[in-house]
Amino acid sequence: MMFSIDKSITTTYPGTKMGILIMREVSYSGSYEEQELVQVVDRLRQKYSHLDRKELKEIHPVQAYVAYYKKFGYSYHLLAQLESVLKGKKDLHSESGLLQAMFISELDSMLLTAGYDLDQLQFPLLLKSATGMEAYRSISSKKVTADQGDMALCDQTGAISSILRGPDYESRITESTTKVLFSIYAPPGIDSGYIEKNLKNLENSIHSLSPSSKTELLQVFD
């Protein structure tokens, strides 16, 4: 089996799910047109701008992340990023269409998503409850350690991401990436159908940017 959920997760966070999308023959450089980005921001404003912070925290699936982050004394960071985009303080430009598509998918769905270069991963993958000893280099290349009890996704070399500390540096998407794996962390309280729907939306976005891309796996695990 290429992916499994450890008993430490099912015991501590019953109902946890993880969505996985694997695509091959993708292009790093393909990106959205400027007008498309304008339309994305307009769509996000129509969807969310009428809600204040309190109301945003109560919608599905945000409430599940808010509850999870609160256990560790943190706020769901994607809320702040959404508000920055809605207010025009943060734009959606990126040198990589893959990263653009992932970030837009995150904001649209509010599902916590991470992307990896498939060739840098050693399968099988395991979602586990961190012991607090899982050290790795974060996406910014800084040394971090997963918080004890946080959900961590690991390959055969160690942790490749955790909810609170984010994805690792070694398996990041780069200019040479041609095969990608996207993972959606879904703490208890998030519908499988919603995760699958947004994996398909991300798949469609990647395929629009990389018409030659092929999907190897799209599945929600629980």
Side-chain angles (χ1 to χ4, degrees):
M1 182 180 292
M2 65 165 294
F3 172 79
S4 60
I5 297 178
D6 190 71
K7 289 182 179 179
S8 61
I9 292 290
T10 57
T11 300
T12 309
Y13 304 110
T16 289
K17 304 172 184 69
M18 175 159 274
I20 291 183
L21 171 64
I22 295 177
M23 301 183 73
R24 298 179 182 272
E25 297 180 34
V26 298
S27 170
Y28 176 86
S29 58
S31 61
Y32 288 79
E33 299 290 338
E34 189 66 32
Q35 184 57 35
E36 291 178 300
L37 295 180
V38 171
Q39 292 172 351
V40 168
V41 174
D42 286 344
R43 185 175 74 244
L44 291 173
R45 285 175 175 156
Q46 290 174 10
K47 189 172 184 178
Y48 294 119
S49 62
H50 64 288
L51 302 172
D52 59 24
R53 173 62 79 96
K54 183 177 183 296
E55 291 170 326
L56 277 172
K57 287 182 176 181
E58 295 172 351
I59 65 173
H60 179 272
V62 178
Q63 85 278 14
Y65 291 103
V66 169
Y68 181 89
Y69 275 67
K70 189 176 182 180
K71 293 177 186 293
F72 298 90
Y74 293 96
S75 299
Y76 186 31
H77 72 280
L78 202 54
L79 276 174
Q81 294 190 36
L82 174 64
E83 289 173 339
S84 292
V85 170
L86 295 179
K87 294 176 182 178
K89 296 179 180 180
K90 181 178 179 64
D91 63 42
L92 300 175
H93 293 91
S94 172
E95 62 181 13
S96 168
L98 296 174
L99 298 177
Q100 271 184 320
M102 182 179 72
F103 186 48
I104 290 170
S105 176
E106 276 193 303
L107 295 179
D108 193 40
S109 67
M110 294 306 289
L111 292 169
L112 183 62
T113 309
Y116 316 85
D117 185 319
L118 187 71
D119 285 333
Q120 303 305 314
L121 303 179
Q122 294 188 29
F123 289 88
L125 304 182
L126 177 69
L127 180 65
K128 57 176 267 188
S129 180
T131 63
M133 300 295 289
E134 294 83 2
Y136 61 98
R137 280 203 295 165
S138 71
I139 198 72
S140 60
S141 195
K142 295 180 180 178
K143 290 183 179 180
V144 296
T145 302
D147 290 41
Q148 184 175 1
D150 189 15
M151 293 189 205
L153 181 61
C154 305
D155 73 354
Q156 294 304 292
T157 66
I160 59 171
S161 73
S162 61
I163 288 186
L164 300 178
R165 300 298 168 214
D168 77 329
Y169 183 81
E170 279 73 15
S171 65
R172 72 194 187 284
I173 293 171
T174 69
E175 292 180 4
S176 60
T177 299
T178 59
K179 306 169 189 174
V180 292
L181 184 148
F182 296 101
S183 65
I184 292 178
Y185 280 99
I190 301 179
D191 302 333
S192 294
Y194 186 75
I195 301 167
E196 183 176 3
K197 172 188 173 183
N198 286 283
L199 282 175
K200 289 179 178 178
N201 289 342
L202 178 55
E203 174 192 33
N204 290 336
S205 297
I206 299 297
H207 189 66
S208 295
L209 296 170
S210 305
S212 64
S213 62
K214 296 178 175 61
T215 301
E216 181 174 305
L217 179 72
L218 190 158
Q219 187 171 346
V220 179
F221 295 85
D222 56 20

